[in-house]
């Protein structure tokens, strides 16, 4: 069996989930698939909070995110998307990134590098409110992403993704071309899903992207940020959680909702 369990993905069901037709590999198709994925499948850490997390086997991820129409966090998003891209014939390399790279943080974020027509692209469907579509992996390239300007730079072996916020460039994450294996993501996932200092073990995190805006439910507060700089924050009391989750594309069964609230 392939290390990445590609055969366990029902490609037609995945494409139906994101509302996209089957396409041949091209830069335009990669951008279109990337945007369809991030606009259809929310970022969320609910399985971490419900615990224990069911793991990163592709069949488990696809059952949740495709067939049960749930979301997931970076490993789940990127492993699923990478499998779909490979099924479509894209040249895919799975990599690991260091979030907030100017600090001594761990390499805990999964990204994907895809080569199309001789050009590498950064593919990052699992960064919450990050990229909406793939970016060429070219030093100095800048691209508007849903209203926010992003940039990629290279220093030595490291590629850094930046976002322009409040008049300055903020580094989001940095990666290199070190090959990764399934076990590398399993180890990082274990830390992220169990360690008390992980940002995902102590509070609810759900993120989605709309037209030139992003929404982040962190704990019991919903933040809506517009590309023009406008930000609104709203408290989410327990009685309203189910409705807010549904508005963000997350539908929980009664058992999971009760556990999450409890």
């Amino acid at each position: 069996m392939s290390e990445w369990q590609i055969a366990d993905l029902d490609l037609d069901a995945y494409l139906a989930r994101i509302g996209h037709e089957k396409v041949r590999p091209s830069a335009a198709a990669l951008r279109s698939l990337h945007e369809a994925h991030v606009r259809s499948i929310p970022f969320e850490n609910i399985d971490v909070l419900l615990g224990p997390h069911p793991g990163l086997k592709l069949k488990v991820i696809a059952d949740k995110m495709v067939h049960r129409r749930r979301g997931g966090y970076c490993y789940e998003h990127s492993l699923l998307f990478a499998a779909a891209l490979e099924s479509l014939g894209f040249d895919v390399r799975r990599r690991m990134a260091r979030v907030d790279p100017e600090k001594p943080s761990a390499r805990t974020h999964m990204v994907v590098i895809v080569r199309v027509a001789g050009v590498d692209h950064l593919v990052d469907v699992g960064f919450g409110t990050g990229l909406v579509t793939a970016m060429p992996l070219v030093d100095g390239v800048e691209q508007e992403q849903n209203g926010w300007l992003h940039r990629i730079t290279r220093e030595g072996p490291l590629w850094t993704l930046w976002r322009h916020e409040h008049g300055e460039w903020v580094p989001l994450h940095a990666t290199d071309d070190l090959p990764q294996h399934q076990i590398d993501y399993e180890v990082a996932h274990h830390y992220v899903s169990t360690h008390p200092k992980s940002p995902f073990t102590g509070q609810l995190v759900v993120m989605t992207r709309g037209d030139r805006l992003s929404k982040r439910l962190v704990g019991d507060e919903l933040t809506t940020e517009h590309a023009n700089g406008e930000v609104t924050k709203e408290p989410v009391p327990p009685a309203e959680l189910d409705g807010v989750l549904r508005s963000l594309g997350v539908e929980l069964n009664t058992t999971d909702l009760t556990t999450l609230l409890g």
Side-chain angles (χ1 to χ4, degrees):
M1 177 183 290
S2 164
E3 176 181 14
W4 306 111
Q5 310 122 49
I6 306 303
D8 288 338
L9 177 66
D10 182 338
L11 180 62
D12 290 336
Y14 168 78
L15 292 173
R17 171 74 166 102
I18 68 171
H20 202 287
E21 71 277 12
K22 187 176 289 187
V23 289
R24 296 181 180 273
S26 70
L30 177 62
R31 292 192 297 270
S32 179
L33 286 161
H34 193 298
E35 181 164 2
H37 180 107
V38 300
R39 295 206 184 276
S40 301
I41 308 179
F43 180 101
E44 48 105 328
N45 70 327
I46 292 172
D47 276 3
V48 173
L49 300 179
L50 296 177
H53 194 284
L56 299 182
K57 296 296 185 184
L58 185 61
K59 184 177 293 186
V60 172
I61 295 171
D63 176 65
K64 180 175 76 166
M65 299 176 72
V66 175
H67 302 292
R68 292 193 283 126
R69 305 183 68 82
R70 282 273 308 281
Y73 68 169
C74 76
Y75 313 113
E76 297 166 299
H77 275 278
S78 290
L79 287 168
L80 176 63
F81 193 56
L85 291 178
E86 284 195 334
S87 297
L88 288 166
F90 284 89
D91 180 1
V92 174
R93 308 197 303 274
R94 296 161 179 81
R95 297 295 181 256
M96 192 76 85
R98 191 184 308 277
V99 177
D100 201 359
E102 294 185 346
K103 297 179 180 179
S105 58
R107 292 162 63 97
T108 56
H109 179 57
M110 181 179 178
V111 297
V112 176
I113 307 300
V114 177
R115 177 163 291 183
V116 184
V119 178
D120 285 342
H121 292 75
L122 176 64
V123 168
D124 189 11
V125 294
F127 199 63
T129 57
L131 297 185
V132 170
T133 191
M135 285 186 68
L137 198 63
V138 176
D139 186 24
V141 70
E142 295 185 2
Q143 192 176 93
E144 183 180 291
Q145 295 274 339
N146 202 34
W148 282 269
L149 189 61
H150 287 68
R151 179 171 71 185
I152 292 176
T153 61
R154 183 175 186 178
E155 183 175 352
L158 291 180
W159 292 96
T160 301
L161 176 66
W162 306 73
R163 182 167 56 211
H164 199 256
E165 299 178 1
H166 311 297
E168 63 181 11
W169 287 101
V170 177
L172 301 182
H173 58 66
T175 190
D176 57 22
D177 207 34
L178 181 67
Q180 303 294 309
H181 296 282
Q182 177 78 17
I183 187 60
D184 296 313
Y185 301 119
E186 297 281 355
V187 171
H189 162 67
H190 177 72
Y191 171 85
V192 171
S193 65
T194 64
H195 199 281
K197 290 187 177 180
S198 166
F200 300 121
T201 56
Q203 61 185 355
L204 177 64
V205 180
V206 183
M207 303 184 191
T208 61
R209 281 158 280 197
D211 184 17
R212 295 179 64 83
L213 63 81
S214 67
K215 292 189 175 185
R216 303 188 303 275
L217 174 61
V218 179
D220 59 0
E221 184 176 73
L222 177 64
T223 299
T224 302
E225 183 175 4
H226 297 263
N228 63 8
E230 178 186 351
V231 178
T232 60
K233 297 179 181 291
E234 307 169 62
V236 180
E240 297 178 12
L241 179 60
D242 185 35
V244 171
L245 288 175
R246 289 175 182 275
S247 75
L248 297 174
V250 178
E251 297 186 17
L252 297 182
N253 59 42
T254 301
T255 300
D256 286 348
L257 180 63
T258 300
T259 302
L260 188 64
L261 287 169

